[in-house]
Amino acid sequence: MKRILTVLAAALLVSLLAVSASAATAENAEAIAEAREGQEEMRRDYLNAGWKDISSRLQAEAHAAEIDPDTWELAHRDLEAAAEEEKEAILAARNEIIYSYSWSIDEVTSYVLDPEKQEFGFVPSFSELFPEDWDVPCQPISEKDRKALEEQMAASMVAMSEEFVAQINDIFSF
């Protein structure tokens, strides 16, 4: 469970550092296509190794958040047609919903692995969960905080990689 939460936290951190992922430019459209290809290749490899794909369960869990109907209605209003004083409330409602879900940015394949149960699953992407006119929220961050987060994330990723390699070696050793 700790591993799953760590992967999800890393994916969320990456998404918080993203500038924008929902408006598909030529550059990120290519990155999204590459991420999808890599995801399908990973899916085939894990299925061929006898693992169970729990992606649909992760998708359902992402939608499990109970959102206040008034917040839901406000968030789905047309931002472009809204009065200036209403736009901030619409964006706040959208952020409340967005941060209630588990997701990754579109250009990144985020997944969870449970070697003990031999289960894997892909975290839903932002565009799979939210309307096309919604943007990935971006939080301003100081240079000092950004560096600290990068160092923390790098250390977490190294630790997870070492643990993952050890577990894979245990599973696939003959």
Side-chain angles (χ1 to χ4, degrees):
M1 186 63 168
K2 181 180 176 187
R3 250 176 278 126
I4 292 171
L5 292 175
T6 305
V7 170
L8 291 176
L12 182 58
L13 177 60
V14 169
S15 68
L16 290 175
L17 297 175
V19 175
S20 176
S22 66
T25 64
E27 290 175 5
N28 70 358
E30 185 176 318
I32 291 169
E34 288 176 9
R36 299 277 186 264
E37 287 176 24
Q39 184 174 325
E40 287 310 310
E41 188 175 320
M42 282 180 66
R43 182 185 318 276
R44 282 191 305 273
D45 290 345
Y46 277 103
L47 290 173
N48 288 338
W51 288 48
K52 180 181 177 186
D53 185 352
I54 60 168
S55 297
S56 59
R57 186 171 81 205
L58 295 174
Q59 182 85 18
E61 289 171 359
H63 287 288
E66 292 186 26
I67 308 297
D68 176 65
D70 293 334
T71 301
W72 188 264
E73 187 276 325
L74 179 61
H76 285 82
R77 289 186 189 165
D78 184 350
L79 185 63
E80 298 301 316
E84 283 302 315
E85 59 274 0
E86 187 181 28
K87 287 183 179 184
E88 190 174 320
I90 291 171
L91 292 174
R94 287 180 180 183
N95 283 345
E96 184 176 330
I97 292 171
I98 288 168
Y99 289 128
S100 297
Y101 288 68
S102 295
W103 53 272
S104 68
I105 61 172
D106 293 331
E107 296 89 343
V108 175
T109 297
S110 298
Y111 55 93
V112 294
L113 298 173
D114 187 339
E116 292 173 12
K117 294 181 181 178
Q118 287 198 330
E119 294 178 339
F120 72 98
F122 297 96
V123 176
S125 68
F126 187 87
S127 65
E128 291 174 315
L129 296 175
F130 305 110
E132 190 174 296
D133 64 335
W134 288 27
D135 290 323
V136 174
C138 297
Q139 302 295 325
I141 186 167
S142 71
E143 184 66 18
K144 178 183 172 187
D145 289 343
R146 184 189 62 76
K147 285 183 180 182
L149 287 171
E150 285 177 354
E151 290 172 7
Q152 180 183 7
M153 191 163 93
S156 293
M157 297 304 281
V158 167
M160 287 187 324
S161 297
E162 291 170 352
E163 182 179 342
F164 176 71
V165 168
Q167 290 173 347
I168 294 300
N169 285 337
D170 287 345
I171 291 170
F172 293 107
S173 64
F174 298 98

